Amino acid sequence: MMKEVVAHVYDVTNSGSEKANNTILHINRFFKDGIGVGGIFHSSIQVYGDEEWSFGFCEYGSGVFSCQPCKNPMYTYRESIVLGETTCSIFTVNQILRELSREWRGSSYDLLSRNCNHFCDAFCEMLDVPKLPAWVNWLANAGDAAMEVAEITAFKLQQAKAEIINASRVAYRFISGVGSNAPTTSEGPSDSGSVAARAQGTWFRNLFSNIGVKPSSSNSSFPEDFDDQEPEDEPSSSSSSSSSSSREK
């Protein structure tokens, strides 16, 4: 025998503050009644008998509870939605409820990932009827999407940080190598280049000390083709003089 399954939907007005409750009612009227996307709702399921079943937070024991249909004193009743008909017998429904009572502990309640609407969806799935309309659990779905975006953003930032550190290591090794290989003379351009290299090397050392990374002294991460490139010999002063004199002639 087929039995009708009904979802009862409430506006969440249990904050204890009349101002907050009125704000939620206005939000629901705008987002659900006005533009049809959803709001902040509590839901329950009724099948067989004069009880509706839902889920809520408690420190100990099961979070599954029942009350008279459309009479939950914690919320403001809004509407009822016929979801379909189940072929489950009353005996099977009682077995399902016992199983859900064991699985849905009150301490596991989470506003975004395990709330009353998620419970109703799980109950409907076991009754083999359609789940709640998406607008009923809109707040949690929007919250989940925001969390996912935040997690992806955090991962991207972590990747960027790792890439910056690796690039800084390579630059540090290069600058350190330039500083150590630079010719030391008492005057001239080579001396100023050595000073600049040492200054930049000090800057990178400070960078690593600030971010808590100790750069390796190994040059293994430096591009292999760099070491294979031989610097071009600069023309000697004598050859320059010779060229100059030949032009004068």
Side-chain angles (χ1 to χ4, degrees):
M1 184 179 70
M2 306 288 285
K3 189 63 178 178
E4 192 173 69
V5 179
V6 181
H8 301 299
V9 182
Y10 298 79
D11 292 300
V12 176
T13 53
N14 62 337
S15 69
S17 167
E18 184 177 355
K19 182 178 180 180
N21 291 338
N22 288 333
T23 299
I24 291 173
L25 289 174
H26 285 302
I27 289 173
N28 289 350
R29 290 191 189 106
F30 177 78
F31 284 101
K32 170 56 176 70
D33 303 332
I35 61 178
V37 297
I40 306 172
F41 301 109
H42 169 80
S43 65
S44 62
I45 298 295
Q46 180 184 2
V47 55
Y48 289 109
D50 293 328
E51 288 181 300
E52 64 176 39
W53 295 87
S54 191
F55 171 73
F57 171 81
C58 61
E59 292 185 3
Y60 306 101
S62 176
V64 177
F65 66 93
S66 65
C67 66
Q68 289 184 337
C70 311
K71 300 292 185 182
N72 190 319
M74 296 182 63
Y75 308 105
T76 302
Y77 173 74
R78 166 177 275 263
E79 63 182 282
S80 296
I81 306 168
V82 177
L83 300 174
E85 293 184 334
T86 181
T87 58
C88 296
S89 65
I90 187 170
F91 176 78
T92 301
V93 170
N94 287 333
Q95 283 185 318
I96 291 172
L97 285 169
R98 281 194 293 269
E99 182 179 341
L100 291 172
S101 295
R102 288 192 297 269
E103 293 179 357
W104 290 74
R105 314 303 291 176
S107 57
S108 69
Y109 180 92
D110 183 89
L111 179 63
L112 297 182
S113 63
R114 196 176 175 82
N115 62 30
C116 57
N117 302 316
H118 295 109
F119 167 82
C120 289
D121 280 344
F123 194 6
C124 289
E125 187 174 1
M126 299 180 78
L127 293 173
D128 196 24
V129 296
K131 296 180 180 180
L132 299 172
W135 61 264
V136 177
N137 208 22
W138 171 77
L139 174 65
N141 294 333
D144 280 342
M147 289 294 291
E148 184 176 353
V149 169
E151 289 173 0
I152 292 174
T153 302
F155 177 72
K156 295 285 188 183
L157 289 174
Q158 189 67 25
Q159 279 187 321
K161 179 182 177 182
E163 291 173 1
I164 290 172
I165 291 174
N166 289 335
S168 299
R169 282 177 177 152
V170 172
Y172 172 81
R173 291 167 188 156
F174 169 65
I175 291 175
S176 296
V178 170
S180 60
N181 295 329
T184 55
T185 58
S186 57
E187 58 183 0
S190 62
D191 184 62
S192 62
S194 177
V195 171
R198 285 197 298 271
Q200 294 180 49
T202 302
W203 182 86
F204 272 98
R205 291 188 188 94
N206 293 336
L207 171 65
F208 282 111
S209 63
N210 288 335
I211 63 176
V213 176
K214 183 178 180 181
S216 170
S217 59
S218 171
N219 291 329
S220 59
S221 297
F222 195 76
E224 296 178 358
D225 57 347
F226 183 87
D227 292 334
D228 296 335
Q229 299 176 1
E230 294 294 337
E232 297 181 359
D233 294 333
E234 296 182 358
S236 63
S237 58
S238 60
S239 61
S240 299
S241 300
S242 173
S243 175
S244 175
S245 61
S246 64
R247 283 196 299 272
E248 290 176 356
K249 293 178 181 181

